[in-house]
Amino acid sequence: MNLHSRWSFLPCAALGVLLALAEPAVRAATAPVPPVAAAPAPPKPGAASRPMPPEAITVPVPRPETVVVAEPAAVVPVTPAPSKAAAATPAPSKPIAAATPAPPKQIAAATPAPNKATAAPRLLSVEVLQRYDAKKRKRIQDALKLIFQGDASYAKAHATAGQPLSDNVVGPITLSFITRFWLYYNIEPAPNVSEESVAALLHFADRLAAHKEWRPDVLSVEFGQWIDKQTDRAALYPIRLRLDEVKLPPVLVRYHAVVTPQVVNAGDRVGQAYWYGLTEDDLKTITSKREFSAATVKALKALVEPDTVIAHADFEEEVQALLADTGEKTGPLLPLLKEHAVTTDHGIGVTDETLAAIADRPVLPAPLATLLQKMVGMQYPHQQLFARALQDRLSVGIGGCQQVTPPTRRAPPPSGRMSDDDMKALIAAVSSGRDADPGLGKRLQSLRDAKLCAPAAPDMASDGAIASDSPGTTEASTVGELYKRYSYLFDQVGRKTPAYNPSAPITLAAGLCGCSDDQKTQVFRFLPFWQGGAAQRIDFSLVSRVNYYGVTFEDNGELIMANGGGRVSELFSGKDDRQLDFVTTARRHRVSVDWVIQRSAWGPWAALSAKEREFRFNQLSDNIVRLLRGRMTDFPSRARPWLSFGMAPVPVRGDGVTLYFDGYPRDPVSVVQFDAFLARLRPMLDEYDFSLNIMMRRAELNTGIYQYDKLAGMVRPKETPAPASLSAKALQLFQREQVRRLPYFLVLFDEPSGQNKLLLRREIESSNTGVDQLHLLNRMVPVINFDGDGWQQLEDDLVYFNQNFGGVGFWPGRPLSATAPPKPAVAGVKHCNESQSVDDCIQDFFRDPPGQASSTDSTLKKIVCEYRWLLRFALDLMVLILVVLAITYARSCQARTVLRKHYLVPLAVALLAVLVLVALLLFDPYLAPLTDGYLIPAVLVLCLIGMYFYFRAKFKERNERP
């Protein structure tokens, strides 16, 4: 190159320009690279309540190489550092934009928002959440409460000072649980936790509230683990996230086909029957403060070992060994230790926090002890019913919503509402101490002032499920929190295992109350075996069926009496035949007797193979029919064929069976086996004219074997053609018999019954077609447990049941007493709070026409009905005597002379026979319907026949005279 040329300066100038342009890149290459924070691990359950700094919320991701950070404040864009090769290369003619996206496997710190044409969902941050309106913020926190209900880390975060998960102010903790939801229930949880995640959360909660039966499955860890093992998990995760009403049920069927079904009532044992309630001693126990000494807490300190758990089976033994030298009993301590300890599938871990909670725990305040005094003596067949009754009593005592309740529905004084002083003492008790909850105290006061109340909302679930937009939810949750605070006290003493005593059988004393009459709506009474002994007075004229409660069955299908009573096949005969006296008494008053076959422990049953369960179900059906067909052994029953001159056999032990399979497994295989069991049992019962009832708790309806479509199928009348030769009346009797064979569904109601009856009808109407609605409502029988206090509510319930359901059942809340018999029903209609008699309420508000029943009938009608078998025998005997006298009169001259001389004797016998016949035709419940409309003509015909023979004999005698 000619350096002396006039153009020689141009290469140097070009080189200078290039160096000037490349200077920023060179400086960036030589500058030190700032360190990048490592990607945080996914949140652990125990760390969910740990607050996060509002400056930068980091979303956990499944891929360690990519982290998305959402920063609410403006961030200076950082240019990625070029590689060494790029530093040695001349810079391009155009500068590199700072917004260029980072290549894969590099750290994406923050990028400017894209244009509207390609706008991505806005990432979540505390500032984004706080810009939502108050209603949406509340919906978010209510949704989290519904989804994470029962989760230990959520409960701990929820109880943190300031109530960060229930104060309607969303912050880092709320955001962390939204992130946790997205991590748990989405197949790709981390790349985009945005506003769409909030929409998915709210949709998930709404669907979950509408389908509570899906909750145990879709929220379980096992279900997520099962999805992870499926080849089509990419399609299954979105189905679970959306709770797709069409696609999710088949997925659950697949899941239950391989996963062991969840067994409820886990603490129940085979062959046992329980009742739940409070006695005077129980109330004294839970109201007395048991202070554990410093020596006890020091001895338990040995259980506190970091990262160590004690096996469930060894935990009680370990505690007993530690307390052996202190003299402290383990009974009160074990439930408290298990409640406050860290419980896992592998065992129980005791921490310092556990011992602190035991040292200073809340005890039952005196106002609540006084309030629960009315619960003493009440008996409930299930713990859930007992818990709901306690919560309802607390609600009544707090007196919430009194200002918005219509005066006609308000309980008359004394209503059970606590005084203002007692309410202040209760609020002070929950707001002070180590486990103080001032927020709960404030909500109780607001509830007392009717600030949290709303009109009765049938849409709100009876179990207190979340309904975000219902003010009544706050009321229910407040009472629920108050109950949960002291629930461990009730759990310690509530469960009772009564002993079976064959020397104290069920004995019924009725007096002259008449017979049960035919009513469209049925009245059921229950007789638990543990209420035997003293005679119980019952007005049988107001009862349709009695149910003996106490028979259960073993895994082999053998029927046994609960609580060590022995095999049923070996009972009720010989010297033990007195145990069936209640059957004879009920039958004398024309009341049917059903045997309740109950079971609540299904763990061993679920462990059997499908073939074994099928075989043992067959054994059970045979044993049930054998129990009902067993002959009575008492003298009146054995004399029945003689009294009827061989026309009636010896009565059997039962008229029907009531199946109460509480907590029965809900997996598809078990449901199909139960359907097959019923399909085999029902024809066997129909063959011997036995009835079938199925009993369940209100909370179990529309789940498993109690799904509405299955129940509707059971009560569809069989399309059996009636014979063409039947008359109109015979056809009516035929159709009535077809309906009578359909089962009744006895539903154990929990409190409050006024809300549950509306929910039950609404569920039936929304889940079935018009015809099925009618059949289900006509065969549905609510079973209530009346405590003798809410008379106005009882009246409202009876009126509603009479108009909408097929009957009513009464579980004996308290043992019936012969020393204080119930008030008898009297003629006329009175409000229940005036008569204060359950029998009078049934007569006045559950009978057609109101106020009239057999209890108000004449004494003659009651005598004829109760002693109809003796009167029938007397009539047959007198007719036989008259026939013998007539034959003797016609064939013997000597007898004719004697009869003519003592003609008043056969005349009196004939007259008495006519009177007995007329009485039976009028008042015998079996003969009266057959002679309806024919009684007067029949009597006139008999009189004409008698006059004919009388005058014929007189004329013949006159003609024979000389």
Side-chain angles (χ1 to χ4, degrees):
M1 176 182 296
N2 187 4
L3 298 178
H4 299 280
S5 172
R6 60 179 180 177
W7 303 106
S8 60
F9 73 95
L10 291 177
C12 296
L15 180 62
V17 171
L18 290 175
L19 291 175
L21 293 174
E23 183 179 0
V26 174
R27 290 179 180 178
T30 58
V33 179
V36 180
K44 298 181 180 180
S49 62
R50 191 172 300 159
M52 303 178 66
E55 290 77 15
I57 302 301
T58 302
V59 180
V61 296
R63 302 188 184 92
E65 65 272 13
T66 303
V67 175
V68 178
V69 179
E71 298 197 22
V75 180
V76 178
V78 180
T79 304
S83 61
K84 293 181 179 179
T89 304
S93 59
K94 294 182 180 180
I96 299 176
T100 302
K105 296 188 178 181
Q106 288 185 355
I107 306 303
T111 59
N115 56 36
K116 295 183 178 179
T118 60
R122 184 168 53 173
L123 299 182
L124 281 186
S125 66
V126 174
E127 284 76 9
V128 171
L129 288 176
Q130 289 178 347
R131 282 196 289 268
Y132 292 155
D133 58 359
K135 184 177 180 181
K136 189 170 184 178
R137 294 199 301 267
K138 185 178 187 304
R139 288 189 63 201
I140 292 173
Q141 291 192 338
D142 284 347
L144 291 174
K145 181 177 182 180
L146 175 62
I147 295 170
F148 292 102
Q149 185 177 2
D151 185 271
S153 59
Y154 176 85
K156 184 176 181 181
H158 187 276
T160 305
Q163 302 294 318
L165 291 174
S166 60
D167 57 358
N168 299 341
V169 180
V170 292
I173 294 180
T174 304
L175 181 58
S176 68
F177 276 92
I178 297 175
T179 304
R180 183 179 175 188
F181 164 80
W182 196 246
L183 175 67
Y184 282 8
Y185 300 104
N186 187 23
I187 191 170
E188 295 289 341
N192 291 307
V193 181
S194 61
E195 291 187 291
E196 291 184 357
S197 307
V198 175
L201 170 72
L202 298 179
H203 174 80
F204 186 93
D206 291 340
R207 291 290 189 187
L208 191 63
H211 297 278
K212 296 185 290 295
E213 69 275 10
W214 292 347
R215 180 186 179 89
D217 293 328
V218 298
L219 297 183
S220 66
V221 177
E222 293 80 4
F223 188 52
Q225 293 173 346
W226 175 82
I227 292 179
D228 286 335
K229 298 176 183 178
Q230 307 306 305
T231 57
D232 58 341
R233 57 182 178 274
L236 297 181
Y237 264 102
I239 292 175
R240 180 173 71 158
L241 181 62
R242 293 193 300 266
L243 292 183
D244 194 304
E245 295 181 334
V246 176
K247 297 181 180 180
L248 182 60
V251 174
L252 293 178
V253 171
R254 287 174 52 190
Y255 167 67
H256 284 295
V258 296
V259 177
T260 303
Q262 182 181 5
V263 179
V264 298
N265 303 329
D268 292 2
R269 299 176 58 186
V270 178
Q272 299 288 335
Y274 310 94
W275 67 267
Y276 300 81
L278 295 175
T279 64
E280 287 285 358
D281 293 338
D282 295 337
L283 203 57
K284 292 178 182 178
T285 299
I286 63 178
T287 53
S288 60
K289 183 177 177 63
R290 296 187 300 272
E291 294 184 353
F292 301 111
S293 63
T296 299
V297 178
K298 183 178 180 180
L300 294 175
K301 188 74 174 177
L303 297 174
V304 181
E305 297 182 13
D307 303 327
T308 301
V309 295
I310 303 171
H312 292 277
D314 301 332
F315 186 74
E316 183 174 354
E317 183 178 352
E318 291 279 349
V319 175
Q320 289 177 346
L322 292 175
L323 297 182
D325 298 334
T326 63
E328 185 71 54
K329 296 182 179 180
T330 59
L333 269 175
L334 283 174
L336 294 173
L337 283 171
K338 292 179 180 179
E339 178 187 1
H340 296 285
V342 178
T343 303
T344 67
D345 295 337
H346 305 288
I348 301 174
V350 179
T351 64
D352 291 328
E353 290 78 9
T354 305
L355 299 184
I358 291 175
D360 187 10
R361 69 194 187 287
V363 296
L364 193 69
L368 291 188
T370 304
L371 181 66
L372 296 179
Q373 186 66 40
K374 292 186 178 181
M375 292 284 295
V376 171
M378 291 293 293
Q379 300 181 359
Y380 300 88
H382 195 273
Q383 194 275 338
Q384 180 249 349
L385 303 176
F386 173 50
R388 293 292 298 170
L390 285 172
Q391 293 179 57
D392 186 66
R393 177 60 61 179
L394 293 178
S395 180
V396 172
I398 294 172
C401 305
Q402 287 289 319
Q403 299 176 16
V404 297
T405 302
T408 55
R409 296 183 56 84
R410 247 178 245 169
S415 63
R417 193 169 187 254
M418 287 189 295
S419 65
D420 293 339
D421 292 339
D422 286 345
M423 190 66 195
K424 291 180 181 178
L426 173 61
I427 294 174
V430 301
S431 302
S432 59
R434 181 184 182 88
D435 294 318
D437 191 348
L440 176 59
K442 293 179 181 178
R443 291 192 295 276
L444 287 173
Q445 186 61 57
S446 298
L447 184 59
R448 176 78 166 194
D449 299 336
K451 294 180 181 179
L452 302 181
C453 297
D459 293 326
M460 190 178 67
S462 61
D463 58 355
I466 299 300
S468 302
D469 299 329
S470 174
T473 303
T474 308
E475 173 193 352
S477 62
T478 300
V479 177
E481 288 182 39
L482 178 64
Y483 167 76
K484 189 176 181 180
R485 183 179 176 87
Y486 307 105
S487 60
Y488 75 95
L489 296 172
F490 308 120
D491 293 341
Q492 290 176 14
V493 299
R495 186 187 218 175
K496 306 295 189 301
T497 307
Y500 175 73
N501 185 5
S503 62
I506 293 289
T507 307
L508 304 178
L512 197 64
C513 65
C515 292
S516 176
D517 51 358
D518 292 322
Q519 289 281 332
K520 178 183 177 181
T521 49
Q522 303 287 299
V523 178
F524 291 76
R525 292 274 190 176
F526 288 85
L527 303 174
F529 72 89
W530 58 82
Q531 292 190 0
Q536 306 174 19
R537 300 190 64 85
I538 293 181
D539 188 345
F540 284 103
S541 66
L542 300 170
V543 179
S544 305
R545 309 185 76 91
V546 294
N547 282 256
Y548 183 83
Y549 185 91
V551 179
T552 183
F553 61 94
E554 297 177 325
D555 290 333
N556 59 3
E558 185 72 30
L559 292 178
I560 60 174
M561 279 299 301
N563 303 349
R567 295 186 176 184
V568 172
S569 57
E570 301 172 357
L571 299 174
F572 312 130
S573 59
K575 63 180 181 180
D576 293 331
D577 61 358
R578 284 192 59 246
Q579 296 182 67
L580 297 179
D581 285 350
F582 74 94
V583 178
T584 304
T585 304
R587 292 252 181 80
R588 188 172 76 246
H589 296 273
R590 200 171 168 249
V591 172
S592 301
V593 177
D594 299 328
W595 292 80
V596 180
I597 310 299
Q598 65 86 23
R599 178 164 175 165
S600 59
W602 297 100
W605 180 270
L608 300 175
S609 66
K611 282 289 184 182
E612 289 177 318
R613 283 181 280 179
E614 180 182 357
F615 173 76
R616 294 173 184 186
F617 259 143
N618 293 340
Q619 294 292 107
L620 176 61
S621 59
D622 294 338
N623 290 330
I624 289 175
V625 175
R626 192 175 296 115
L627 166 65
L628 299 178
R629 292 192 63 199
R631 301 291 181 179
M632 298 286 291
T633 58
D634 60 298
F635 176 75
S637 298
R638 288 186 284 108
R640 180 71 58 83
W642 299 95
L643 294 177
S644 62
F645 290 94
M647 299 298 293
V650 176
V652 294
R653 293 180 178 177
D655 301 294
V657 62
T658 299
L659 303 179
Y660 178 37
F661 290 1
D662 187 81
Y664 182 80
R666 300 175 183 176
D667 60 288
V669 176
S670 298
V671 172
V672 170
Q673 288 181 333
F674 180 82
D675 294 341
F677 163 66
L678 281 187
R680 185 175 187 269
L681 178 62
R682 290 186 65 180
M684 299 170 65
L685 297 176
D686 292 341
E687 180 182 355
Y688 299 104
D689 202 27
F690 294 138
S691 301
L692 172 66
N693 309 312
I694 299 177
M695 186 163 71
M696 75 289 292
R697 287 182 290 116
R698 169 72 182 83
E700 286 195 305
L701 273 176
N702 207 22
T703 61
I705 60 177
Y706 306 119
Q707 295 177 14
Y708 283 128
D709 56 343
K710 294 183 177 295
L711 300 182
M714 296 181 196
V715 295
R716 293 190 186 107
K718 296 180 180 179
E719 297 181 358
T720 305
S725 58
L726 293 181
S727 62
K729 187 171 184 178
L731 178 61
Q732 184 179 4
L733 293 176
F734 175 82
Q735 294 174 344
R736 183 178 180 183
E737 179 65 17
Q738 291 295 105
V739 174
R740 189 191 65 80
R741 292 176 180 270
L742 300 178
Y744 279 102
F745 303 124
L746 310 182
V747 184
L748 289 166
F749 265 33
D750 50 6
E751 297 296 340
S753 60
Q755 179 178 330
N756 275 295
K757 65 189 178 187
L758 302 177
L759 287 169
L760 178 56
R761 169 155 185 164
R762 175 168 296 192
E763 286 182 7
I764 293 175
E765 290 176 344
S766 61
S767 304
N768 301 274
T769 61
V771 176
D772 288 342
Q773 289 177 22
L774 178 64
H775 292 157
L776 275 176
L777 290 173
N778 287 339
R779 309 305 288 186
M780 200 73 69
V781 178
V783 179
I784 60 177
N785 197 343
F786 183 59
D787 60 0
D789 190 25
W791 292 103
Q792 183 60 50
Q793 186 61 56
L794 175 63
E795 180 180 322
D796 295 344
D797 290 344
L798 290 178
V799 172
Y800 193 88
F801 296 161
N802 191 30
Q803 297 297 323
N804 296 279
F805 297 110
V808 65
F810 288 91
W811 181 270
R814 290 185 173 89
L816 299 177
S817 175
T819 58
K823 298 179 181 179
V826 296
V829 178
K830 287 185 178 181
H831 288 294
C832 293
N833 52 17
E834 296 178 12
S835 62
Q836 295 197 356
S837 167
V838 175
D839 291 337
D840 212 327
C841 287
I842 297 174
Q843 176 179 282
D844 294 346
F845 300 101
F846 204 75
R847 289 288 167 168
D848 296 319
Q852 297 183 19
S854 299
S855 60
T856 60
D857 291 335
S858 63
T859 303
L860 177 61
K861 183 176 181 179
K862 296 178 182 179
I863 293 175
V864 172
C865 182
E866 291 188 29
Y867 299 99
R868 56 189 178 276
W869 284 104
L870 290 177
L871 292 176
R872 291 177 194 174
F873 173 73
L875 176 63
D876 295 342
L877 186 60
M878 287 185 289
V879 170
L880 181 61
I881 291 174
L882 291 175
V883 171
V884 171
L885 290 178
I887 295 174
T888 304
Y889 181 86
R891 293 182 175 273
S892 174
C893 295
Q894 294 180 352
R896 191 180 305 161
T897 303
V898 174
L899 289 175
R900 285 176 179 176
K901 183 178 180 181
H902 303 284
Y903 69 93
L904 291 178
V905 175
L907 186 60
V909 173
L911 181 60
L912 184 59
V914 171
L915 293 176
V916 173
L917 176 62
V918 172
L920 289 173
L921 293 177
L922 284 174
F923 304 127
D924 189 322
Y926 295 95
L927 298 178
L930 300 177
T931 60
D932 188 18
Y934 302 102
L935 178 59
I936 295 178
V939 173
L940 292 176
V941 170
L942 289 176
C943 292
L944 291 175
I945 294 174
M947 293 173 61
Y948 167 76
F949 283 105
Y950 175 78
F951 287 110
R952 180 185 176 185
K954 287 294 184 180
F955 290 148
K956 184 177 181 181
E957 181 181 356
R958 186 190 64 182
N959 294 336
E960 290 176 355
R961 291 177 184 174

